[in-house]
């Protein structure tokens, strides 16, 4: 297994470089550059073109594409993400203050959706064809189908504006010190983000559980006189867990990249809203840094999933 | 987020029809408009060369006038804008410089058709309209304009600009008679002005700007006249003349004047402070504002405009953002309507010579930066010189600084300093090579920065300095803590020369210009003060009993640029 992991890690490096280059080229192909986005059309007429060219030169935007890419890559290899073009903020600082917000939201949403999705999926499978199963199936379909912004706006209207139980948005306030101070801000975005994920996990868990319950080893377990709960949870659920783990694992990179919509609706200062802003401003060092983090996360998670799958299901042999 | 780029096809059915837009009986409007048009038509056509001046049919004044007559702007305002705008007659806002003798181009489709026929308009031609506002109201406006133009036989496609918008709008050929560098025919945009000259300076021959007007000797002379004097009477005459010239020739179609709304909660008391043009800086006396105490007895004032990732320097968007408004003070105080100067701010006194070419500023003795260091003439002179290299320096301030004696040599790096700036004690003397009629207004919007934080910084990348993570200012509030993208907390500056503010803390939520979360925050009692120009925001805020809206007529004209370059 160790050789497999090392091989996968080594393959990750050229893959990450190749993907980062594709992102870079794609971003470069869009019209304009960071300087043209620093000025509104209304400001542009009053601006001095020479000053704008000087700024482009100072920011290195006049360099050819390949030169700019390798300067960026060279900086990265030295552990330097560079600076934002628009505000000159060190990108490592920017990520250091944005990533925790996203991770916090993602972690809570992931835990909630995994726990509730798995439990509801198992219940649905064990109660197959009953009113409970049908109800959960409908709820799951609704959860998957309705966009996050709708749930977000409904939640804000009910819990923040009408009932006044929770803050309308943001992550914090000046007087807050601890996580528990900030917790009320986290509740709504985390719950809304987890709704769609819970529905997805539930559907997966139900299907996987039904599949597992039809296997011969379940019949064998039952014929041996094992209690039903033991058959379902220790034998059935363990096998059903494999596709669920894969699903959850591949959700993680998307969450690291930030849930753009939820962050926008709840004014959550995470990586998702930063990514949107940076793409819009053509602030390519920021876009590249976030894209690279997402890419690396995907690659790492895929290795971790392989390993976890092998642990969960001994029939899986890595590297063969 | 910007809407996806897309065209409003002429063959698609517009869901806003002209009939739906007209709430009043159309025959009355027609009669009134026709009468007005007949009265105005002789002078309008007579003063312009009634033929195309190049291969572009839009260079024919009759076509441009026809487009102006084809639009029922008042109905658009009543329907699409819910009445929250004023029909524009002329580029300049209503006020002392408004020429009363202008053709209002009231809706008259028959007149439009007649003019198009005279001009030999090819009804198979399709005009391309571009716009850069990505809101639904603008999309509705585009559909309305498309319907109005179609009604008089002019096909139009509308396209939302994305990417390098400024370049797409403003690129011009090296020679005014050369072919146009842009593909579009009509452009929808705006001018938010501090001074009236801003409306017309871009129309000068050879000036790259969105108006896509190649220039004429008459316009150049008229523009020069508006910049030639500080005498209000002479300025008035010059603006009357240039407005008439524009009105007759319709180089651009002014559509409407936008209203600005000040949004305030019932917790806030301005204690008699005046209302003004909140997009710019004036003496709004905020140190005397009060807000009701919260449950803990603290007087916390909630607003928006906090930075997303860095504080923007105060020389671009002069009065926007919480940093510009609260953290920095200027050299002079403008009056609320930006029509003149109300007195000294950081400069206690000022003088201006009879010819307007020499200005002196004497700084107050007791003024300090938020770090406790005194504000000196060195800081001010360094700020003037640095600003000249800042790429997005506001145009009005830029014009003032570039008019200084020796500014050209300094910018060309032939001189170490601007020769037109000298200091003696606390007094700074500014000598101008050419008259800038708006020098005092410029100084009322110019916030000096503390020089010591920018030692070794190339002013071209001034915005990229770490200073903008927590700027040290000169205004009534100092930066306390900032959670970028979330909020900024400001505290009263004890040594503020006008007295320590009565508000205990300013909490500003992060937002861009046009805060999409403002209504939501206002509903949740998280806004005590904000400004908006967004019609849908106004409508929602009007339904909140705890919020008060105060409309202001500001110099902000939305217009339709017409590309008259050769094609």
């Amino acid at each position: 297994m160790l050789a497999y992991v090392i091989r996968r890690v080594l393959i990750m490096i050229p893959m990450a470089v190749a993907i980062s280059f594709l992102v870079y080229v794609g971003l470069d192909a869009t019209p304009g550059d960071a300087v043209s986005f620093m000025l509104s059309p209304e400001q542009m007429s009053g601006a001095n073109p020479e000053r704008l060219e000087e700024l482009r030169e100072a920011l290195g935007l006049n360099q050819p594409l390949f030169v700019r890419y390798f300067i960026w890559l060279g900086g990265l290899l030295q552990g330097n993400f560079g600076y934002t073009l628009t505000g000159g903020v060190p990108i490592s600082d920017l990520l250091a203050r944005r990533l925790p917000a996203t991770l916090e939201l993602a972690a809570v949403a992931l835990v909630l959706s995994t726990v509730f999705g798995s439990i509801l999926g198992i219940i649905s499978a064990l109660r197959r064809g009953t009113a409970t199963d049908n109800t959960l199936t409908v709820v799951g379909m609704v959860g998957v189908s309705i966009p996050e912004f709708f749930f977000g706006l409904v939640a804000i209207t009910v819990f923040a504006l009408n009932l006044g139980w929770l803050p309308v948005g943001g992550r914090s306030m000046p007087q807050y010190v601890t996580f528990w101070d900030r917790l009320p801000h986290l509740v709504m975005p985390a719950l809304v983000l987890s709704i769609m994920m819970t529905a997805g996990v539930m559907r997966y868990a139900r299907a996987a559980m039904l599949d597992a319950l039809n296997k011969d080893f379940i019949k064998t377990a039952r014929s041996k006189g094992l209690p039903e709960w033991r058959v379902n949870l220790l034998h059935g659920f363990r096998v059903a867990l494999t596709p669920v783990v894969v699903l959850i694992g591949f959700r993680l990179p998307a969450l690291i990249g930030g849930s753009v919509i939820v962050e926008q609706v709840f004014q959550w200062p995470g990586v998702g809203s930063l990514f949107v802003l940076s793409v819009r401003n053509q602030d390519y060092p920021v876009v590249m840094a976030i894209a690279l983090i997402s890419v690396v996360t995907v690659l790492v998670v895929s290795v971790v999933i392989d390993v976890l799958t092998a642990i969960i299901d001994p029939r899986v042999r890595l590297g063969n | 987020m910007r809407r996806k780029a897309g065209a409003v096809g002429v063959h698609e059915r517009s869901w806003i029809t002209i009939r739906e837009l007209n709430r009043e009986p159309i025959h009355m409007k027609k009669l009134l408009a026709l009468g007005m048009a007949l009265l105005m038509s002789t002078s309008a056509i007579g003063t312009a060369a009634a033929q195309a001046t190049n291969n572009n049919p839009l260079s024919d004044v009759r076509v441009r006038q026809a487009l102006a007559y084809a639009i029922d702007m008042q109905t658009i305002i009543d329907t699409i804008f819910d009445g929250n705008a004023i029909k524009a007659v002329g580029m300049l806002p209503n006020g002392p410089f408004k020429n009363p003798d202008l053709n209002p181009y009231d809706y008259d489709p028959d007149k439009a058709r007649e003019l198009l026929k005279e001009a030999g308009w090819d009804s198979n031609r399709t005009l391309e309209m571009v716009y850069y506002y990505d809101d639904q109201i603008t999309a509705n406006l585009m559909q309305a304009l498309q319907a109005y133009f179609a009604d008089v036989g002019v096909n139009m496609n509308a396209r939302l600009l994305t990417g390098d918008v400024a370049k797409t709008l403003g690129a011009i050929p090296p020679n005014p008679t050369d072919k146009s560098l842009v593909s579009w025919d009509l452009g929808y945009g705006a001018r938010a002005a501090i001074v009236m000259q801003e409306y017309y300076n871009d129309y000068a021959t050879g000036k790259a700007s969105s108006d896509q007007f190649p220039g004429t000797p008459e316009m150049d002379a008229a523009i020069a006249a508006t910049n030639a004097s500080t005498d209000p009477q002479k300025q008035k005459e010059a603006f009357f003349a240039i407005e008439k010239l524009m009105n007759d020739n319709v180089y651009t179609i002014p559509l409407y004047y936008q209203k600005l709304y000040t949004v305030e909660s019932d917790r806030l008391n301005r204690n008699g402070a005046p209302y003004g043009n909140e997009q710019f800086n004036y003496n709004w006396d905020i140190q005397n504002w009060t807000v009701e105490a919260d449950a803990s007895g603290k007087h916390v004032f909630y607003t928006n405009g906090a930075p997303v990732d860095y504080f923007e320097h105060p020389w671009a968007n002069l009065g926007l953002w919480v940093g510009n408004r609260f953290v920095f003070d200027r050299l002079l105080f403008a009056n609320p309507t930006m029509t003149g100067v109300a007195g000294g701010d950081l400069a206690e006194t000022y003088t201006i010579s009879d010819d307007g070419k020499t200005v002196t500023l004497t700084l107050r003795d007791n003024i300090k930066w938020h770090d406790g260091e005194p504000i000196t003439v060195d800081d001010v002179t360094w700020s003037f010189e640095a600003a000249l290299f800042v790429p997005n320096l506001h145009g009005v301030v830029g014009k003032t600084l570039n008019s200084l004696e020796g500014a050209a040599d300094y910018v060309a790096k032939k001189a170490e300093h601007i020769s037109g700036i000298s200091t003696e004690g606390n007094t700074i003397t500014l000598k101008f090579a050419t008259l800038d009629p708006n020098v005092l207004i410029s100084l009322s919007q110019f916030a000096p920065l503390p020089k010591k934080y920018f030692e070794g910084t190339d002013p071209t990348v001034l915005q990229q300095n770490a200073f903008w993570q927590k700027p040290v200012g000169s205004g009534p509030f100092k930066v306390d803590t900032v959670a970028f993208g979330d909020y900024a907390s400001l505290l009263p500056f004890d040594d503020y020369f006008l007295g320590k503010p009565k508000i205990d803390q300013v909490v500003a939520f992060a937002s861009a210009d046009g805060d999409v979360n403002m209504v939501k925050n206002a509903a949740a009692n998280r806004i005590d003060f904000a400004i908006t120009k967004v019609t849908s925001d106004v409508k929602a805020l009007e339904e909140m009993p705890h919020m008060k809206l105060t409309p202001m007529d500001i110099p902000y004209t939305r217009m339709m640029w017409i590309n008259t370059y050769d094609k």
Side-chain angles (χ1 to χ4, degrees):
Chain A
M1 187 183 285
L2 183 64
Y4 171 80
V5 172
I6 292 170
R7 196 163 65 243
R8 287 291 300 269
V9 169
L10 290 175
I11 292 170
M12 274 168 50
I13 296 168
M15 283 177 74
V17 171
I19 294 170
S20 72
F21 183 70
L22 287 176
V23 173
Y24 201 97
V25 170
L27 196 61
D28 190 72
T30 58
D33 60 22
V35 171
S36 57
F37 281 86
M38 287 180 199
L39 276 73
S40 69
E42 289 151 32
Q43 284 178 321
M44 200 65 166
S45 59
N48 184 331
E50 286 175 23
R51 298 287 90 75
L52 297 178
E53 280 311 304
E54 283 172 10
L55 181 58
R56 282 194 174 92
E57 198 174 327
L59 296 175
L61 296 174
N62 284 343
Q63 306 264 29
L65 169 73
F66 282 97
V67 175
R68 279 186 282 131
Y69 176 73
F70 283 107
I71 288 173
W72 172 81
L73 193 63
L76 190 72
L77 292 175
Q78 296 167 52
N80 178 12
F81 273 116
Y83 298 84
T84 66
L85 294 178
T86 47
V89 184
I91 292 169
S92 48
D93 289 2
L94 204 59
L95 292 174
R97 63 194 184 210
R98 292 279 191 159
L99 210 49
T102 291
L103 289 175
E104 183 177 281
L105 187 60
V108 175
L110 202 62
V111 169
L112 288 176
S113 61
T114 305
V115 171
F116 288 111
S118 301
I119 292 171
L120 294 175
I122 291 168
I123 291 172
S124 193
L126 295 178
R127 302 273 188 275
R128 187 183 182 188
T130 64
T132 308
D133 179 33
N134 292 338
T135 306
L136 288 172
T137 302
V138 170
V139 169
M141 292 306 291
V142 168
V144 170
S145 310
I146 295 179
E148 288 167 337
F149 78 85
F150 177 79
F151 284 123
L153 294 177
V154 170
I156 287 170
T157 306
V158 175
F159 297 108
L161 300 181
N162 291 345
L163 297 173
W165 292 350
L166 294 166
V168 73
R171 186 188 179 215
S172 187
M173 289 291 276
Q175 66 272 23
Y176 293 174
V177 180
T178 66
F179 171 78
W180 302 109
D181 292 331
R182 290 193 283 105
L183 187 60
H185 287 258
L186 181 61
V187 173
M188 272 200 297
L191 283 175
V192 168
L193 187 57
S194 66
I195 286 176
M196 191 176 278
M197 290 167 61
T198 301
V201 172
M202 187 174 83
R203 300 298 303 157
Y204 252 74
R206 180 183 180 276
M209 192 69 183
L210 284 174
D211 188 46
L213 290 177
N214 284 328
K215 300 283 185 193
D216 289 343
F217 66 87
I218 294 289
K219 290 173 190 162
T220 307
R222 283 206 179 104
S223 66
K224 285 164 69 178
L226 291 176
E228 192 64 13
W229 68 267
R230 202 172 163 136
V231 172
N232 291 333
L233 293 184
L234 294 188
H235 293 263
F237 182 61
R238 187 176 169 187
V239 174
L241 201 59
T242 309
V244 176
V245 166
V246 173
L247 175 75
I248 293 165
F250 280 109
R251 285 268 163 84
L252 191 64
L255 289 172
I256 300 294
S259 176
V260 173
I261 294 168
V262 169
E263 288 188 8
Q264 298 275 9
V265 170
F266 290 99
Q267 304 165 61
W268 191 262
V271 173
S273 49
L274 175 67
F275 189 69
V276 171
L277 187 72
S278 304
V279 169
R280 196 171 169 174
N281 291 344
Q282 294 227 344
D283 206 329
Y284 72 83
V286 184
V287 176
M288 293 302 297
I290 297 172
L292 194 70
I293 288 172
S294 291
V295 166
V296 170
T297 311
V298 170
L299 296 174
V300 169
V301 164
S302 68
V303 175
V304 172
I305 287 171
D306 283 352
V307 173
L308 279 178
T309 308
I311 293 169
I312 294 168
D313 187 349
R315 292 171 301 171
V316 176
R317 291 286 175 268
L318 298 178
N320 295 330
Chain B
M1 286 173 65
R2 281 191 191 282
R3 264 175 13 105
K4 229 176 176 179
V8 183
V10 281
H11 301 299
E12 294 168 18
R13 183 182 173 277
S14 295
W15 52 268
I16 297 175
T17 64
I18 294 171
R19 192 170 294 278
E20 285 164 348
L21 285 163
N22 283 274
R23 284 174 174 168
E24 297 172 32
I26 201 159
H27 59 275
M28 279 303 293
K29 287 189 172 182
K30 273 188 177 173
L31 285 174
L32 283 170
L34 192 61
M36 182 60 76
L38 284 171
L39 283 171
M40 301 302 295
S41 62
T42 310
S43 62
I45 300 294
T47 51
Q51 60 181 15
T53 55
N54 56 40
N55 291 321
N56 181 354
L58 292 174
S59 69
D60 188 325
V61 67
R62 294 168 297 188
V63 175
R64 301 195 297 270
Q65 288 174 331
L67 295 178
Y69 279 121
I71 304 166
D72 188 350
M73 199 60 228
Q74 192 54 54
T75 298
I76 289 175
I77 289 169
D78 292 343
T79 53
I80 295 176
F81 296 102
D82 281 323
N84 292 313
I86 300 162
K87 181 183 183 301
V89 178
M91 298 282 278
L92 306 186
N94 294 328
F97 294 131
K98 170 68 74 184
N99 185 335
D101 183 28
L102 297 179
N103 181 355
Y105 290 99
D106 286 328
Y107 179 51
D108 188 346
D110 292 336
K111 180 74 181 169
R113 289 186 202 104
E114 184 188 319
L115 284 163
L116 288 167
K117 193 176 173 187
E118 277 178 32
W121 175 255
D122 175 6
S123 58
N124 292 319
R125 188 186 180 90
T126 298
L127 297 177
E128 185 192 13
M129 164 81 90
V130 293
Y131 60 103
Y132 51 83
Y133 301 103
D134 57 3
D135 56 277
Q136 187 56 47
I137 287 174
T138 301
N140 293 349
L141 174 65
M142 290 301 117
Q143 289 194 326
L145 292 175
Q146 186 186 42
Y148 280 122
F149 288 157
D151 190 44
V152 298
V154 176
N155 298 324
M156 183 198 94
N157 278 346
R159 178 167 63 92
L160 175 65
L161 289 178
T162 54
D164 198 346
V165 175
K167 198 172 176 184
T168 310
L169 285 171
I172 63 164
N175 191 316
T177 56
D178 288 350
K179 300 268 186 196
S180 174
L181 294 184
V182 299
S183 65
W184 57 268
D185 302 293
L186 306 170
Y188 171 66
R191 168 62 73 188
I194 320 179
V195 296
M196 297 302 109
Q197 285 85 353
E198 276 193 277
Y199 282 102
Y200 282 107
N201 285 345
D202 284 350
Y203 287 82
T205 304
K207 182 86 165 72
S209 72
S210 310
D211 57 65
Q212 289 294 327
F213 170 63
T216 63
E218 295 79 18
M219 269 303 267
D220 288 346
I223 291 166
T226 62
N227 286 283
S229 173
T230 54
D231 180 343
Q233 185 55 38
K234 285 183 181 167
Q235 282 191 351
K236 186 175 173 177
E237 288 165 13
F239 280 116
F240 273 34
I242 200 167
E243 278 275 83
K244 183 72 178 146
L245 195 58
M246 171 64 87
N247 185 250
D248 287 347
N249 292 288
V250 197
Y251 298 125
T252 290
I253 300 176
L255 295 174
Y256 61 96
Y257 307 130
Q258 186 131 16
K259 285 182 186 175
L260 177 77
Y261 289 83
T262 301
V263 180
E264 292 168 348
S265 77
D266 57 6
R267 299 174 62 241
L268 178 69
N269 189 341
R270 290 170 73 116
N271 294 312
Y275 288 87
N277 188 343
E278 307 288 356
Q279 296 190 117
F280 299 105
N281 301 291
Y282 67 97
N283 187 4
W284 59 336
D285 212 22
I286 192 163
Q287 69 279 358
N288 288 320
W289 291 18
T290 50
V291 285
E292 286 175 13
D294 58 21
S296 66
K298 200 170 176 184
H299 301 268
V300 182
F301 171 90
Y302 295 97
T303 184
N304 57 3
V308 174
D309 281 314
Y310 58 90
F311 286 84
E312 187 187 84
H313 71 71
W315 298 339
N317 291 296
L318 303 168
L320 289 179
W321 318 128
V322 73
N324 294 357
R325 300 173 72 85
F326 295 84
V327 178
F328 291 98
D329 258 31
R330 277 80 197 165
L331 290 164
L332 302 174
F333 278 127
N335 65 30
T337 53
M338 304 292 131
T339 49
V341 166
D345 187 349
L346 294 176
E348 189 166 24
T349 58
Y350 68 95
T351 65
I352 184 163
S353 63
D354 290 342
D355 66 358
K357 286 186 167 180
T358 304
V359 172
T360 65
L361 302 161
T362 302
L363 298 187
R364 295 176 193 272
D365 290 327
N366 57 344
I367 47 177
K368 289 178 181 172
W369 298 111
H370 292 163
D371 62 4
E373 293 293 315
I375 300 172
T376 67
V377 291
D378 271 359
D379 291 317
V380 179
T381 55
W382 172 85
S383 298
F384 283 143
E385 292 184 338
L388 275 170
F389 287 100
V390 171
N392 56 347
L393 173 66
H394 192 279
V396 171
V397 177
K399 186 171 187 307
T400 298
L401 297 181
N402 278 299
S403 300
L404 283 163
E405 279 182 11
D409 283 346
Y410 175 72
V411 168
K413 298 182 178 160
K414 293 177 187 168
E416 204 173 325
H417 294 286
I418 300 172
S419 60
I421 303 177
S422 59
T423 62
E424 187 178 345
N426 258 6
T427 299
I428 302 157
T429 302
L430 305 174
K431 289 191 174 172
F432 292 89
T434 54
L435 177 74
D436 175 22
N438 301 308
V439 57
L440 296 182
I441 286 292
S442 281
L443 296 173
S444 75
Q445 304 301 313
F446 187 76
L449 301 178
K451 176 185 173 183
K452 71 174 182 180
Y453 291 99
F454 295 93
E455 299 285 358
T457 297
D458 174 0
T460 305
V461 287
L462 180 117
Q463 183 65 78
Q464 281 70 25
N465 190 294
F467 175 84
W468 301 108
Q469 291 294 294
K470 191 174 181 182
V472 174
S474 54
F477 291 90
K478 60 184 181 182
V479 180
D480 169 34
T481 55
V482 188
F484 285 99
D486 202 357
Y487 68 82
S489 164
L490 311 178
L491 296 177
F493 179 38
D494 292 341
D495 291 330
Y496 186 55
F497 71 92
L498 288 172
K500 184 181 173 182
K502 296 181 172 70
I503 291 167
D504 293 329
Q505 184 181 26
V506 173
V507 175
F509 300 106
S511 71
D513 187 16
D515 182 3
V516 292
N517 293 306
M518 196 258 280
V519 171
K520 197 167 63 182
N521 284 336
N525 296 306
R526 301 212 313 175
I527 288 288
D528 290 312
F529 175 85
I531 57 172
T532 186
K533 299 193 290 277
V534 182
T535 306
S536 52
D537 283 3
V538 171
K539 209 172 171 182
L541 290 161
E542 279 173 344
E543 291 171 9
M544 296 180 196
H546 66 290
M547 299 304 292
K548 183 180 107 176
L549 290 164
T550 306
M552 289 292 301
D553 290 335
I554 55 163
Y556 189 107
T557 306
R558 289 280 176 113
M559 58 191 75
M560 192 165 76
W561 297 305
I562 303 175
N563 182 0
T564 50
Y565 277 94
D566 193 11
K567 280 202 160 187

